[in-house]
């Protein structure tokens, strides 16, 4: 079953068209990567799915047309986002950030799952978010996104600014989340190696348009292509 289907999507900032006639799909339980350099339109794509920018075209979630729904209505349907730059509540504790990610008052079970995935967050649960390391903040951003028990997790540049060892840990964590929760994941990334390692299929976005798509095996030459762009 298709969890997400995007048809002929055009996205705009004011009168500037950023995304052009984009088509994309994510199956149930699938991890899909959208790859591209800075300025390709990756974050705009995420914002389009969340209803944060003006769009034309159709966006379907679990077969339902959500194109005209407001952002909070899309979240209630089962879409959650770990945004670029983490976007935490910096002066609140780790625990309070997680609670704010929940859709209900019965959040203890999901918080326990987040703490099992990221044990360091359990240790830091009373710590103020802005005092965490970059890697810990990224863990908190992902954990907060999981608190709403999403069916589709959107991840915007989860490796951005992280040391290689933390990127490897995040890669393992994304794989674990997918397997244990059986959710679909759409990840937009510049880190080609990381994204292809964990994805079932990938799209290449350049200047707002999909220029290639395929499996990780068929896109192994991408890193060389990027060096030549």
């Amino acid at each position: 079953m298709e969890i997400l289907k995007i048809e002929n999507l055009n996205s705009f900032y004011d009168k500037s068209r950023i995304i052009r006639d984009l088509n994309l799909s994510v199956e149930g339980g699938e991890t899909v990567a959208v790859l591209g350099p800075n300025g390709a339109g990756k974050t705009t794509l995420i914002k389009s799915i969340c209803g944060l920018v003006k769009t034309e075209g159709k966006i379907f979630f679990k077969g339902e047309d959500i194109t005209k729904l407001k952002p909070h209505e899309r979240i209630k349907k089962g879409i959650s986002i770990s945004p670029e730059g983490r976007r935490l509540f910096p002066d609140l504790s780790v625990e309070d950030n997680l609670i704010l990610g929940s859709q209900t008052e019965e959040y203890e079970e999901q918080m326990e799952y987040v703490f099992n995935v990221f044990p360091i967050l359990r240790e830091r649960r009373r710590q103020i978010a802005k005092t965490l390391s970059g890697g810990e903040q990224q863990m908190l951003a992902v954990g907060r996104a999981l608190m709403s028990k999403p069916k589709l997790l959107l991840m915007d540049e989860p490796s951005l600014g992280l040391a290689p060892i933390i990127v490897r840990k995040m890669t393992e964590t994304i794989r674990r989340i997918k397997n244990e929760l059986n959710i679909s994941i759409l990840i937009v990334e510049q880190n080609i190696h990381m994204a292809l390692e964990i994805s079932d299929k990938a799209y290449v976005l350049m200047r707002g348009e999909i220029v290639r798509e395929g499996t990780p095996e068929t896109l192994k030459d991408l890193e060389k292509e990027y060096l030549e762009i």
Side-chain angles (χ1 to χ4, degrees):
M1 174 185 176
E2 282 181 331
I3 289 292
L4 178 70
K5 185 176 183 180
I6 298 175
E7 294 182 346
N8 301 317
L9 179 70
N10 291 271
S11 304
F12 301 85
Y13 291 125
D14 295 324
K15 295 182 180 180
S16 298
R17 184 166 62 159
I18 308 300
I19 299 291
R20 299 172 179 273
D21 300 320
L22 183 145
N23 294 278
L24 177 152
S25 66
V26 180
E27 299 289 334
E30 188 175 48
T31 298
V32 175
V34 177
L35 305 168
N38 254 343
K42 302 188 303 299
T43 294
T44 302
L45 172 60
I46 293 291
K47 289 182 176 180
S48 300
I49 297 168
C50 294
L52 298 173
V53 296
K54 178 185 175 183
T55 62
E56 295 175 354
K58 295 289 185 180
I59 300 174
F60 297 91
F61 180 64
K62 297 195 297 184
E64 178 185 355
D65 185 352
I66 64 168
T67 310
K68 296 183 179 180
L69 295 186
K70 298 183 184 303
H72 71 274
E73 294 172 324
R74 302 186 193 203
I75 290 172
K76 288 181 178 180
K77 294 288 183 182
I79 299 174
S80 189
I81 178 174
S82 175
E84 181 183 14
R86 295 132 198 178
R87 303 292 178 87
L88 302 173
F89 296 95
D91 295 316
L92 297 183
S93 69
V94 166
E95 186 172 51
D96 286 341
N97 268 273
L98 292 175
I99 291 171
L100 287 170
S102 177
Q103 294 295 304
T104 70
E105 294 182 0
E106 298 177 358
Y107 51 75
E108 289 85 359
E109 181 181 346
Q110 194 66 3
M111 185 179 290
E112 185 63 25
Y113 177 76
V114 170
F115 285 156
N116 286 334
V117 173
F118 300 114
I120 191 65
L121 295 184
R122 187 192 302 276
E123 297 177 25
R124 305 277 197 268
R125 64 189 301 167
R126 307 297 182 196
Q127 190 167 327
I128 300 302
K130 67 183 178 184
T131 68
L132 299 175
S133 69
E136 290 164 354
Q137 289 185 21
Q138 185 61 63
M139 294 174 195
L140 180 54
V142 175
R144 184 182 60 185
L146 293 175
M147 287 295 293
S148 63
K149 298 183 179 180
K151 300 299 181 185
L152 173 64
L153 175 61
L154 307 175
M155 306 187 77
D156 193 350
E157 303 278 10
S159 75
L160 186 65
L162 301 183
I165 188 170
I166 304 300
V167 173
R168 286 195 293 274
K169 288 182 179 179
M170 185 59 65
T171 301
E172 295 166 3
T173 299
I174 294 170
R175 188 180 287 117
R176 174 184 173 181
I177 290 168
K178 171 192 170 183
N179 292 336
E180 291 182 350
L181 299 182
N182 191 33
I183 63 176
S184 301
I185 299 174
L186 178 66
I187 177 172
V188 304
E189 259 293 349
Q190 291 188 65
N191 188 326
I192 299 168
H193 178 76
M194 173 202 180
L196 291 182
E197 184 178 342
I198 58 176
S199 61
D200 299 297
K201 70 181 180 187
Y203 297 84
V204 180
L205 188 64
M206 297 291 294
R207 295 177 291 278
E209 299 183 53
I210 298 294
V211 296
R212 284 186 65 182
E213 63 180 275
T215 64
E217 291 75 20
T218 62
L219 296 174
K220 284 181 178 178
D221 60 336
L222 276 182
E223 289 187 82
K224 180 176 182 295
E225 281 192 17
Y226 269 66
L227 292 175
E228 295 173 350
I229 290 173

